[in-house]
Amino acid sequence: MNAEKARIADVPQIHKLVNGFGSRGLMLSRPLSEIYENMRDFFVVREGSAVVGCGALHICWEDLVEVKSVAVLEGNQGKGIGAVVVEACIEEANRLEVADVFVLTYEPEFFTRFGFIKVDLMDLPRKVWGECQRCPKYPDCDETAMVLKLKPQSKAKW
Ligand SMILES: CC(C)(COP(=O)(O)OP(=O)(O)OC[C@H]1O[C@@H](n2cnc3c(N)ncnc32)[C@H](O)[C@@H]1OP(=O)(O)O)[C@@H](O)C(=O)NCCC(=O)NCCS
């Protein structure tokens, strides 16, 4: 099983997958336009032409990238698909030579296995909060902030 870079034809399926969980408050929903604009951030796992898992790596700043929108179709969970997606994101972050990867999640235990550690949300730089303002829960964020430190020379305080 491989995670591949998303193609334009995958976008409607990514949208449906992410917003299926988003509408239940399990992750942040994303408009179709945003997924098209950021589709080069996305990895997908396919079964035939069906997208069964997705996730994105978004560049925030010179030293910081975010793992976003990790979702696996119900019925396909527990088969290692989510792990393949997160590993592809981390591999790309390493290739880009960034210092830190962060994630905001309701599933911290899932991310712990990749080396992410919990941090105080307030320790994340304010520039990553841009999209928080359109989150229905803003400003009462109840997600867990986590960071994976890829380089010892990380400037962050975690
Ligand atoms: C969380 C999610 C992405 C995990 O994907 P998945 O494909 O089911 O996970 P995997 O099969 O790759 O699991 C890899 C490992 O993580 C573990 N794991 C999976 N989900 C977990 C969770 N929620 N908490 C703790 N561990 C978890 C698995 O047991 C497995 O462990 P193992 O390697 O020891 O067997 C998936 O359940 C999902 O899409 N959930 C809804 C959306 C969501 O909450 N996304 C989170 C990102 S914001």
Side-chain angles (χ1 to χ4, degrees):
M1 183 194 338
N2 283 325
E4 301 168 33
K5 293 299 278 184
R7 300 179 201 139
I8 204 116
D10 297 326
V11 171
Q13 291 188 74
I14 295 171
H15 180 246
K16 194 172 166 196
L17 183 53
V18 169
N19 290 350
F21 293 117
S23 62
R24 288 147 57 191
L26 299 175
M27 62 198 302
L28 187 61
S29 290
R30 303 199 178 275
L32 190 57
S33 58
E34 183 189 316
I35 299 175
Y36 276 119
E37 283 168 15
N38 294 285
M39 68 151 277
R40 280 179 291 190
D41 287 350
F42 274 87
F43 291 95
V44 294
V45 173
R46 296 192 186 86
E47 254 181 32
S49 59
V51 170
V52 292
C54 70
L57 186 81
H58 186 70
I59 299 171
C60 299
W61 206 245
E62 63 164 336
D63 50 5
L64 193 62
V65 293
E66 180 180 7
V67 172
K68 295 167 115 168
S69 300
V70 178
V72 175
L73 204 60
E74 276 160 325
N76 289 270
Q77 294 179 358
K79 298 178 181 172
I81 295 171
V84 164
V85 168
V86 174
E87 280 157 9
C89 291
I90 295 171
E91 192 181 318
E92 181 155 312
N94 271 313
R95 191 180 59 75
L96 294 169
E97 300 182 344
V98 291
D100 295 304
V101 187
F102 80 97
V103 65
L104 296 173
T105 184
Y106 293 114
E107 299 292 351
E109 302 314 319
F110 171 68
F111 285 96
T112 300
R113 66 189 55 239
F114 305 101
F116 285 83
I117 54 163
K118 291 182 189 177
V119 296
D120 190 330
L121 179 65
M122 302 308 282
D123 286 343
L124 291 177
R126 300 298 175 270
K127 58 183 164 280
V128 309
W129 292 12
E131 68 180 25
C132 295
Q133 290 172 27
R134 61 178 178 72
C135 174
K137 295 183 180 172
Y138 181 81
D140 301 314
C141 180
D142 56 357
E143 291 191 298
T144 301
M146 302 183 84
V147 168
L148 173 65
K149 206 171 142 173
L150 295 178
K151 286 186 168 185
Q153 64 268 37
S154 155
K155 293 180 202 154
K157 46 177 139 169
W158 35 76

